[in-house]
Structures are given as C-alpha cells and as structure tokens.
Amino acid sequence: MQKTLKIKHLYEHSVLNICLDTLERKKQALVFVNSKSSAEAEAERISAKVKIDGSDRDKLELLASNVLNALDKPTKQCQRLALCVRSGVAFHHAGLHSQQRELIEDNFRSGLIKIICATPTLAYGLNLPAFRVIVRDLKRFSSPRGMSWIPVLEFQQFCGRAGRPDFNDEYGEALCIAETDSEKEKIFDNYINGETEDILSKLAVEPVLRTYVLSLVATEYANTKKSLMDFFKKTFYAHQFGDVRQLEEIIKRILKSLKEWGFIEIIDNKNEGKEGRKEEKETGLEATILGQRVSQLYLDPYTAHYLITCMRRAETKILKDFSFLQMLSYTIEMRPLLTVKVKEYDLIEQKANEFSSSILSLEPSMFEPEYEEYLKSMKTALFFYDWINEVDEETLLEKFNVRPGETRVKLDLADWLLYSSEELAKLIKLHGLIKEIAKIRMRLKYGAKEELLPLLRFKNIGRIRARKLYQNKIKDIEDVKKADLSLLTQLIGKMVALSIKKQVGEDLREEKVQVKETKRKGQTSIMKYDEE
DNA sequence: GGCAGTTCTATATAGACAGCATGTC
DNA sequence: CTATATAGAACTGCC
C-alpha cells in the first residue's frame, strides 16, 4: 500500500528530514545503510540536529556514559556512539562491542533511543521493529561487480521491521530514497512489484557440501557410494541443481579428496567382478578415526587437511608465535581478511619476507592471484600478533581498522580453529606442537604476552590485572603466595586479592567475614568461591 | 600567523556460524 | 551491469 506523506524540507538530506519528522510524531525510525562508516556518519548527522525531550535527558546521559565505558578504555568509536546516544540516536553494526549492541537494542525497545542507523545486521534475526524504516541505500559494494542492487529478499527483510504493535502502531512505514524519477521507477519495478529471487540451497557452497559428505560417512548414515548419492538426490540442492550427473561428479571429486586427505577409506568390493555397474553399487565408504574427529569438530575437511599439512611442516621451519597466527589467518573460515591498503602494501610484503622462514602455509608466487589473499593473511596475522602483545582496542582500530566487535569474532574463530588444531595434532601424533598451540590459544583468549600466562590461570584475573601484578614483581603462583595482602589489595582490590589468595590455598578466615559484609553486585563469582 | 569553513581527492566498501567448557574488568 | 560516502588533505578567507 502506498500513501503520500508530507515532510518538512528542513535540510538537504532527505533521511535527516524524515527522521526529524518521525521524532515530531513521537515515533521511532530505523535507517538502513550499506556500510559501517555510513551508519556512523548518518547517526552523527542526525544527532547533531535533534532536540531531545527534557524528560529523557538524564536517562540518555546515563546511557551515554554506559556506552562510553563498555570497554577498559573507550575507543574513538565509543566516543562517537556515546555522543550520538546523548541525543537519542545510535548506530549499530557488527563492529560494536556486544555490550554496546545490547544497550542500544534494549533502549530502542524501551523507546529511549529514537533512531538507529544500521547496517543489515539489524534486519536479520534480531527482532527490533520501528514505526518507520528508511532504506537509504539500495545498492551495496561487492567485488568483483562493484556497486550492485541488494537482493529483493533483503529489501523485504528491512521493510518487515516497520510497525510496532506493542507501541500501538496500527501500521508501519517503509521508505526508500530516490533521487530521480527513473530511479523511482526502477525501485518500484525492482523491489515493490519485483519478484523475490530464488532461495539458494546452502549446500551449493562447496565447503558445506564437503562437510556434509564427510559427516554422512562418519555417522555411517551412508556407508556406500550409492546410499550417499541417494541421499543427495533427495536434497533441495539436487532439485535446484537439476543436473544429477554433474552433482554426482562433484561428489565423486569430493570423495577422492577426502580419501587423499586420509579422512575416509573407499573400499572397492571386487567380488561381484565383471559387471561394471554392480561393482560401483558396492563401493563401500568408511571414515577413518581422523575423519571422524574432523567431522565432530565441524571443520571443513579442506581446512582440516590444510591445518594438518601446516603442522607437519612445522619441523622444517623456525617456529614462532607468528607461524600459528598466520596459519589460522590463511583459512577460509577466517575470511574476509583484513584488507591491505595501498599505502601498506610494501610494508606487509616486507613483513611477509621477514617471516618467510617461519610460515607454515605455502607461499604463493607473487604473480598468482592468490598472492593478494596471502598478503591479507599476513596482515590479519599481524593484527593477532599485536593483540597477544597487549595492544589495546583503540590502537587496533587505528592501525588495522578493526573494531571491538570484529576483534571478538576473529578471536572466537581463532580459538575454535586452534582447539581443532590441537585435537588434530593429538591424532597425528605431533605431540611437540600441542603445548605451543595451547599457549598461543591462551594468549589469544586473554590478549596477553607469554610472561603473564601463570597469572592468567587465576579466576578473576585478566590481562589488565595480570599486567598490574607483573609490574609489581608478582609474576607467578609462588609470588602470589609470598605477596603481602595489603599490596595485592592495593593493586587489584580487596575482593580479588582475597580470591586469589584463597586460590593459592591461603584461607583467610577473618577476612572471609568481611567479604560477606562488603558484598557488592558483580562479585558473585567470588562469593561462590568462598562458599565452596 | 592561526582559525574556521570550504572544496577537493583518495580510498574503501555487510554480516556471523561451527567445538568445548566455564567465568573478564 | 563498475558507484559513492566518507575521511582527510588542501585550500581559502577572515580575524
């Protein structure tokens, strides 16, 4: 249904005008844009022109300070967000710290935040409706095509966020911005009256197909080639793929790789002999122990094989922390990688040469297209390297253009891949590597140098507190035992000091009473510890 | 000389799920 | 079918 709205033309930006109109009507709006920086810029543009209700001012100030202090040290991003929030406006994208994201979402639901400028994150999964949805950008950059129209399905996702029945909205409004008549026509044809594109089967992606094949064999759901084929013939993918023979070729190729990689055995039953067809029917499939573990870990077999070959190569290399970081960075799971900017190209290339004797993955030649991706992996590894050397979030943002939210995602991935590597190393008997991998894993988790590892084993001690202790010559468990309680208290607070003393076996009974008396929120883990 | 405001130019471009076993500042 | 918003540099004009 279309209708005509009259909106005051106060400024040159349509989005801004529509948002101000929305506020005048005491409603909320979501603005969808196509990049993170756009989301931030749009939010700032709007927040600069918003006049907030006096009644909300205090609440918004409080919220702004919460947003600002979500991290140890506020980054530039935190400051920008906090400033917007003071006006009841926010931006929302995957680079936000999860805590900030939650704050924004909750306070939009409650009605305190009026406008959110967001990338498509918000349209998926999360149920965050608004009276008005403004789809600012209908085009988005994607290589290699450059700027292209977003899928109709996505457009519908955006518009589906319009209307808040819980706020007594009887309807919602979804708006697009067209600069010209021809553009307007295009939008109508494409999105309003256009047909949604076909839903692609997820199996179409080869890594997923590979993972499925192995999993079917590993769970013994399919123990012959025939039963495997039969399964896939019934899938949506086959239905959509149309050509069953081609699908069969792909699966055959996958089976061949899985065998080469040592994840399955293909048992040809020659007894039936002469008739070719019958023979194929009897081809048995069986997962090796290694293959079973790969499947359990939910790894793409290709990645599993890559990790194994890297680790086998470790003996011939000068092993460094960086070796493992680069190994992780070069997996398909880690993509998209950090982009190497024009200005950085030489520097990254230089680093690549510097580390070449420690690199576990195969270095592509400079003339292969793959080389670009290799350099990106190098930059991503350098990012991880900074992280485990205690570089703070602000610097990571400036140096690598990686925001806190993105850091978390990358670290989660790295952790999962390292755990998997550890498990694989056990199976292929590379026991020498396990310790090194475990160490790197711990360092990635905390973002700390190796010297802090003994301290990080304590509960309630992260990299900040550990560094503080270390600077005061408290470097390991023994030092904690010897340390004076008052010094510890001075460094990390009474609660934590008592907690770690208790963890080294010193039960300070008298203090225990005090602990209970000085009970504060957020210290539940310590209380629990005391009661054990 | 220093600044605020403007125009010009170079540059980069959305997101998020898998294992496992619990507790960061 | 290959665009555009943004950030930051460069520039201008004013005091």
Side-chain angles (χ1 to χ4, degrees):
Chain A
M1 193 182 75
Q2 300 166 43
K3 62 185 246 180
T4 309
L5 291 175
K6 276 189 190 156
I7 288 167
K8 279 186 225 160
H9 190 273
L10 298 168
Y11 302 97
E12 278 313 300
H13 291 277
S14 315
V15 173
L16 177 53
N17 292 331
I18 298 168
C19 285
L20 293 175
D21 176 82
T22 312
L23 292 175
E24 221 167 89
R25 291 166 198 253
K26 304 276 175 221
K27 296 285 191 183
Q28 292 172 291
L30 286 177
V31 184
F32 285 108
V33 299
N34 65 4
S35 74
K36 287 187 278 263
S37 60
S38 275
E40 298 184 8
E42 192 67 67
E44 282 177 331
R45 184 155 52 223
I46 296 164
S47 72
K49 303 292 179 193
V50 164
K51 291 185 192 73
I52 50 161
D53 270 4
S55 56
D56 283 346
R57 184 161 291 142
D58 291 346
K59 285 189 209 163
L60 284 172
E61 285 296 335
L62 180 67
L63 180 59
S65 84
N66 285 340
V67 162
L68 187 65
N69 298 312
L71 281 79
D72 305 334
K73 263 166 101 183
T75 65
K76 220 168 256 168
Q77 182 182 251
C78 300
Q79 288 164 10
R80 292 178 76 176
L81 185 59
L83 203 63
C84 289
V85 164
R86 289 179 64 188
S87 311
V89 182
F91 53 84
H92 186 287
H93 54 59
L96 290 189
H97 188 89
S98 60
Q99 218 173 312
Q100 293 169 329
R101 256 164 90 160
E102 221 168 281
L103 280 171
I104 302 300
E105 290 157 16
D106 292 346
N107 285 285
F108 189 82
R109 277 198 198 92
S110 74
L112 187 58
I113 289 179
K114 311 292 182 198
I115 312 267
I116 297 183
C117 302
T119 54
T121 354
L122 212 58
Y124 290 97
L126 192 63
N127 181 29
L128 204 68
F131 171 70
R132 240 176 219 174
V133 167
I134 305 160
V135 187
R136 194 193 76 175
D137 300 330
L138 287 169
K139 286 180 173 177
R140 188 191 305 134
F141 185 92
S142 67
S143 57
R145 285 198 191 170
M147 252 8 201
S148 48
W149 297 92
I150 61 169
V152 178
L153 222 55
E154 194 171 315
F155 174 79
Q156 288 172 349
Q157 280 282 359
F158 292 155
C159 297
R161 305 288 129 176
R164 287 195 66 166
D166 58 327
F167 271 33
N168 296 323
D169 284 356
E170 287 177 4
Y171 61 94
E173 294 175 357
L175 298 91
C176 303
I177 313 289
E179 298 292 338
T180 61
D181 280 344
S182 70
E183 202 180 332
K184 185 174 165 185
E185 209 172 296
K186 175 101 186 172
I187 292 171
F188 266 103
D189 290 351
N190 240 357
Y191 291 109
I192 317 285
N193 304 319
E195 299 212 346
T196 55
E197 40 286 284
D198 297 332
I199 297 167
L200 285 172
S201 165
K202 291 233 162 131
L203 277 182
V205 193
E206 189 146 332
V208 181
L209 199 53
R210 268 194 303 254
T211 310
Y212 259 88
V213 170
L214 181 58
S215 139
L216 287 167
V217 176
T219 56
E220 293 175 358
Y221 186 92
N223 48 22
T224 62
K225 217 179 214 175
K226 184 178 178 301
S227 57
L228 185 68
M229 293 303 176
D230 285 346
F231 174 85
F232 278 106
K233 277 176 198 161
K234 280 183 260 169
T235 61
F236 180 59
Y237 178 54
H239 166 72
Q240 191 189 44
F241 205 84
D243 190 349
V244 178
R245 278 194 53 191
Q246 203 185 338
L247 176 62
E248 230 168 288
E249 284 307 311
I250 296 174
I251 293 175
K252 264 188 201 164
R253 204 177 65 220
I254 289 174
L255 284 174
K256 198 174 152 228
S257 303
L258 290 178
K259 183 183 158 62
E260 273 174 26
W261 297 338
F263 298 152
I264 61 166
E265 301 280 4
I266 299 178
I267 306 136
D268 279 322
N269 197 337
K270 298 277 181 188
N271 297 343
E272 300 287 330
K274 288 144 202 172
E275 286 174 86
R277 275 185 198 169
K278 204 162 192 177
E279 192 179 314
E280 186 162 12
K281 276 184 192 168
E282 299 296 326
T283 305
L285 300 171
E286 202 174 287
T288 61
I289 306 274
L290 189 59
Q292 283 174 22
R293 192 73 188 111
V294 169
S295 181
Q296 281 167 6
L297 290 166
Y298 216 89
L299 278 175
D300 174 2
Y302 177 88
T303 300
H305 176 246
Y306 161 81
L307 291 173
I308 289 170
T309 47
C310 282
M311 290 192 290
R312 289 218 164 105
R313 220 172 274 137
E315 282 188 349
T316 65
K317 295 283 182 176
I318 306 162
L319 212 53
K320 291 184 177 160
D321 304 334
F322 193 82
S323 312
F324 293 109
L325 300 179
Q326 194 278 335
M327 172 179 89
L328 298 177
S329 303
Y330 205 36
T331 59
I332 31 182
E333 281 78 0
M334 201 55 81
R335 294 179 192 186
L337 300 176
L338 308 199
T339 50
V340 178
K341 296 174 193 175
V342 185
K343 278 184 197 163
E344 298 168 335
Y345 202 93
D346 289 344
L347 179 77
I348 303 286
E349 205 164 34
Q350 185 198 324
K351 290 278 182 191
N353 294 332
E354 230 170 83
F355 280 114
S356 68
S357 57
S358 304
I359 299 302
L360 298 175
S361 58
L362 282 180
E363 183 181 353
S365 136
M366 272 172 75
F367 308 103
E368 288 175 62
E370 187 56 25
Y371 190 69
E372 295 295 316
E373 205 62 21
Y374 179 73
L375 284 187
K376 286 185 186 177
S377 82
M378 208 55 67
K379 184 175 172 187
T380 308
L382 286 167
F383 156 77
F384 281 133
Y385 190 76
D386 270 10
W387 169 254
I388 63 170
N389 284 297
E390 298 175 38
V391 170
D392 62 50
E393 300 261 30
E394 173 76 76
T395 316
L396 292 176
L397 178 58
E398 274 174 23
K399 199 166 158 190
F400 296 98
N401 193 26
V402 179
R403 300 158 189 76
E406 295 156 325
T407 303
R408 281 261 67 88
V409 174
K410 288 270 183 274
L411 289 175
D412 269 1
L413 273 166
D415 189 52
W416 168 51
L417 290 170
L418 275 181
Y419 172 79
S420 301
S421 304
E422 228 178 299
E423 293 298 299
L424 294 175
K426 281 179 199 164
L427 279 181
I428 56 173
K429 307 218 165 14
L430 290 173
H431 296 293
L433 291 179
I434 295 172
K435 205 177 129 198
E436 288 306 310
I437 295 175
K439 218 190 274 176
I440 289 286
R441 200 174 156 217
M442 184 95 162
R443 289 185 59 192
L444 273 171
K445 184 175 174 189
Y446 289 98
K449 293 180 188 171
E450 189 170 347
E451 64 203 28
L452 294 187
L453 286 180
L455 294 170
L456 291 170
R457 296 180 60 195
F458 286 104
K459 280 186 193 173
N460 307 308
I461 300 294
R463 69 164 170 174
I464 306 288
R465 285 170 179 166
R467 177 51 62 195
K468 249 185 184 166
L469 292 172
Y470 194 90
Q471 273 169 355
N472 287 275
K473 307 244 163 28
I474 301 167
K475 300 183 178 179
D476 54 31
I477 296 177
E478 279 309 305
D479 292 340
V480 171
K481 274 186 188 167
K482 281 184 285 179
D484 186 43
L485 185 64
S486 63
L487 174 64
L488 286 179
T489 303
Q490 197 189 327
L491 292 172
I492 53 179
K494 192 162 204 166
M495 306 290 284
V496 187
L498 283 172
S499 166
I500 64 170
K501 272 292 191 187
K502 167 101 194 196
Q503 288 174 60
V504 293
E506 283 182 47
D507 200 354
L508 303 164
R509 284 176 183 279
E510 322 84 289
E511 305 290 346
K512 215 168 145 184
V513 182
Q514 275 190 358
V515 171
K516 293 209 170 173
E517 279 169 359
T518 54
K519 181 175 171 181
R520 291 192 319 231
K521 67 169 182 170
Q523 302 285 339
T524 42
S525 58
I526 294 171
M527 293 308 295
K528 206 195 277 170
Y529 200 85
D530 254 354
E531 282 156 15
E532 271 168 14

